[in-house]
Amino acid sequence: MSKRAVDLLLRAMEARSPSLQVSALRQVSHATTDTLLKAKLLVTSGHVPVVAGMDDYEDELIEATWSAKLQAYGYHDSAGRWITVPDQDIAACGVDYGLALAKMLVAFERAGPSRPTPLNADLIFDAGTIKLAGAKAPVPVWFARRLSDPRVWAQLEALISRKPPQEIRIILTSTADGRIPETSQKRNHFISVADVAGDLSELAISPQTLGARVFPEQVQRRFPLDHSEDCGMVWHRGEKLTFGGDKQRRLLQLLFQAYWSENSSALRVAVVLEEAGYGGQVNTLKKAFGRRNDWNRFIEIDDGNCWIDP
């Protein structure tokens, strides 16, 4: 797969409805949608009978209905004419969470049912247990989507209260790290899949990266500066800083690669931003890191260059 395919799959997981129009996904990326369908991570099933009428409705979404006489879906336009909707325009698909979670946890020794057990309709799943370095016993793993939705979050917290873990529980999610609400449930570790993937173009989660997120105190640290494998966590003079998002972590990886190398550690800011995947409007490190400014504790900038300086 590609990073774009993983990104589209995670976006599909975050959709309000578990049933999505194939044609809508193809508008985002035709080739990427077909890649996910071929990999069977997206599975076609049924229809989403909603279309955009193209006459006086001015692209208003209207419902397509089934005509038993014509054996086809369609709708009546503003003049009362029947407009047949091609089957492929409203064909639906959904994420195969069993296969997706199997790919996420392929690097772990996992116990439990072959397919995840739904705990709350199509929003929360029990994926069994995994063995994780540093844990005294197998760690239960759940998967949840749409955690930025207050209603979903409330349902999850209620479920956690009814089923607390004996020690710890990992709750993987398709929700981006910055959109996961704060929680008082300290034995539950909420982790965005995008933040612990071993490779940004694969779904497989890195055991080392996941272990560092769950047990940061057990990570071997160099002083005064060290970082996790994916640069999602940086330890600076005893303080842990967490960075989310593919681009920020890639930016830090480039800077740390230069820092640990024997060559000059200084890199051009423009080159680093481009290689990290930022667009032309993001032309400074300050814009790349957004509202936070803790990064400048260990990153220096001068005359268009940037480098790690602990």
Side-chain angles (χ1 to χ4, degrees), residues 259-270:
Y259 175 70
W260 297 117
S261 71
E262 296 180 358
N263 301 321
S264 172
S265 62
L267 300 174
R268 296 295 295 173
V269 171

Side-chain angles (χ1 to χ4, degrees), residues 188-258:
N188 293 273
H189 297 264
F190 294 85
I191 299 174
S192 177
V193 172
D195 289 345
V196 290
D199 186 317
L200 295 180
S201 65
E202 298 292 340
L203 272 176
I205 291 171
S206 163
Q208 294 77 18
T209 303
L210 184 62
R213 291 299 177 96
V214 178
F215 302 113
E217 69 282 356
Q218 296 182 13
V219 176
Q220 183 84 28
R221 304 177 197 169
R222 290 166 286 194
F223 194 84
L225 190 67
D226 201 3
H227 55 86
S228 62
E229 181 183 16
D230 68 335
C231 290
M233 289 188 294
V234 173
W235 292 273
H236 180 241
R237 300 189 179 277
E239 182 179 1
K240 184 182 75 172
L241 308 175
T242 302
F243 294 88
D246 297 344
K247 295 176 184 177
Q248 284 188 9
R249 296 199 304 274
R250 178 56 182 156
L251 187 156
L252 290 171
Q253 286 173 352
L254 292 168
L255 288 175
F256 276 113
Q257 286 171 7

Side-chain angles (χ1 to χ4, degrees), residues 71-250:
Q71 290 293 294
Y73 280 96
Y75 64 96
H76 289 96
D77 66 10
S78 57
R81 295 169 298 190
W82 174 262
I83 306 297
T84 297
V85 177
D87 185 75
Q88 63 267 24
D89 289 355
I90 55 173
C93 68
V95 176
D96 185 331
Y97 285 96
L99 181 57
L101 283 166
K103 288 184 175 293
M104 290 177 194
L105 301 173
V106 67
F108 297 86
E109 184 177 338
R110 182 165 68 101
S114 58
R115 297 191 64 82
T117 303
L119 298 175
N120 188 317
D122 52 36
L123 295 168
I124 306 167
F125 303 87
D126 184 344
T129 63
I130 61 170
K131 288 189 176 180
L132 186 65
K136 298 177 182 178
V139 178
V141 177
W142 286 4
F143 178 86
R145 66 187 194 91
R146 294 187 55 78
L147 295 188
S148 60
D149 185 327
R151 292 170 298 181
V152 177
W153 182 254
Q155 292 170 19
L156 178 58
E157 287 213 305
L159 187 59
I160 288 173
S161 297
R162 294 197 303 270
K163 297 183 176 184
Q166 291 185 348
E167 296 292 337
I168 62 171
R169 177 192 289 127
I170 294 171
I171 300 179
L172 299 172
T173 180
S174 48
T175 306
D177 180 68
R179 304 189 67 191
I180 301 173
E182 295 291 331
T183 180
S184 59
Q185 307 280 0
K186 299 305 181 184
R187 288 191 290 173
N188 293 273
H189 297 264
F190 294 85
I191 299 174
S192 177
V193 172
D195 289 345
V196 290
D199 186 317
L200 295 180
S201 65
E202 298 292 340
L203 272 176
I205 291 171
S206 163
Q208 294 77 18
T209 303
L210 184 62
R213 291 299 177 96
V214 178
F215 302 113
E217 69 282 356
Q218 296 182 13
V219 176
Q220 183 84 28
R221 304 177 197 169
R222 290 166 286 194
F223 194 84
L225 190 67
D226 201 3
H227 55 86
S228 62
E229 181 183 16
D230 68 335
C231 290
M233 289 188 294
V234 173
W235 292 273
H236 180 241
R237 300 189 179 277
E239 182 179 1
K240 184 182 75 172
L241 308 175
T242 302
F243 294 88
D246 297 344
K247 295 176 184 177
Q248 284 188 9
R249 296 199 304 274
R250 178 56 182 156

